[in-house]
Amino acid sequence: EVQLVESGGGLVQPGRSLRLSCTASGFTFGDYAVNWVRQAPGKGLEWIGFIRSRPYGGTTRYAASVEGRFIISRDDSNNVAYLQMNSLQTDDAAMYYCARGYGWFDPWGQGTLVTVSS
Amino acid sequence: DIQMTQSPSSLSASEGDRVTITCQASRDISIYLNWYQQKPMKAPKLLIYDASNLKTGVPSRFSGNRSGTNFTLTISSLQPEDVATYYCQQYDNLPYTFGQGTKLEIQ
């Protein structure tokens, strides 16, 4: 079964950092891009960035709202992608999803909740 | 950024009804438009990609269409399990952007 599982969410103070993980199974992880999408409580979906697969350079792109604060990386040997979140702000509080693919996102993980509060 | 405008924002219909949700792009995005279904407290799931291609395993009552910068998601006969919020998403240009969502309920 193709599956993505996020972990690492929790409560963090404003200005601090947090790293989320996205662990994949059931497919050749290194062949695919990984996206991160977030959803603030009661709100819609916001794409925040992706990392391309190694054959496509392994490069990253980000939304303006997180550029310079968030970093996406990947470890293909362990089938994991990461979202390093720095200088967290209260409006970064959201459910964070990872999702596979270029263009369309399929599948998605179940999400991990990040709360930013003092 | 490309703006995606969905309508309506909420919709209530009866079982068996034909339901249509619309998504308009702020500029030409060709066919690069996807639709997702998100049930309460669950992650989104892909329904349709490239405007009109049904993902394998998705019921055939779901369909997608494109007319210029206007896209539609149609449910031909609404079922109770279709209660969810539906999102469109463009990938013609970065950043990828989503519509604001359409919450679908059954009367």
Side-chain angles (χ1 to χ4, degrees):
Chain A
E1 179 191 6
V2 174
Q3 193 174 15
L4 298 172
V5 177
E6 301 91 340
S7 59
L11 173 64
V12 61
Q13 294 178 328
R16 303 298 291 260
S17 299
L18 197 64
R19 188 178 80 161
L20 307 183
S21 300
C22 171
T23 303
S25 59
F27 64 99
T28 304
F29 180 71
D31 287 349
Y32 290 86
V34 176
N35 298 266
W36 287 92
V37 177
R38 68 184 179 184
Q39 186 170 35
K43 302 298 184 183
L45 302 168
E46 179 190 13
W47 176 85
I48 57 174
F50 70 50
I51 185 165
R52 294 181 174 95
S53 61
R54 291 284 175 213
Y56 286 87
T59 51
T60 53
R61 294 290 299 271
Y62 300 95
S65 58
V66 304
E67 180 90 56
R69 297 189 301 124
F70 288 13
I71 299 170
I72 300 172
S73 61
R74 64 189 300 156
D75 176 358
D76 290 348
S77 63
N78 287 300
N79 294 342
V80 183
Y82 299 101
L83 177 64
Q84 176 68 41
M85 304 186 293
N86 301 319
S87 302
L88 281 161
Q89 305 163 359
T90 54
D91 58 3
D92 292 318
M95 183 70 79
Y96 283 76
Y97 298 100
C98 62
R100 184 185 73 168
Y102 292 103
W104 59 84
F105 310 142
D106 181 53
W108 299 55
Q110 86 288 351
T112 189
L113 184 64
V114 173
T115 303
V116 184
S117 174
S118 53
Chain B
D1 297 1
I2 295 175
Q3 307 303 316
M4 305 302 297
T5 303
Q6 262 184 260
S7 60
S9 56
S10 64
L11 174 59
S12 183
S14 300
E15 185 175 348
D17 281 355
R18 182 181 182 89
V19 170
T20 298
I21 298 168
T22 298
C23 183
Q24 182 175 43
S26 60
R27 62 177 193 256
D28 180 30
I29 58 169
S30 188
I31 63 168
Y32 304 127
L33 186 286
N34 309 312
W35 289 98
Y36 300 88
Q37 177 192 64
Q38 185 178 31
K39 294 186 177 181
M41 306 303 293
K42 297 291 188 182
K45 290 186 176 180
L46 177 69
L47 294 176
I48 289 171
Y49 61 96
D50 286 350
S52 60
N53 293 297
L54 198 66
K55 180 194 166 182
T56 301
V58 172
S60 59
R61 64 180 179 273
F62 291 91
S63 63
N65 204 358
R66 173 205 176 200
S67 177
T69 59
N70 294 305
F71 299 83
T72 56
L73 172 68
T74 298
I75 307 173
S76 60
S77 178
L78 187 64
Q79 300 301 303
E81 60 265 33
D82 300 334
V83 169
T85 300
Y86 294 83
Y87 294 92
C88 61
Q89 172 246 330
Q90 68 80 22
Y91 70 99
D92 181 64
N93 244 303
L94 289 172
Y96 299 148
T97 47
F98 291 88
Q100 76 275 24
T102 296
K103 186 175 183 179
L104 176 58
E105 298 175 329
I106 286 204
Q107 290 177 343

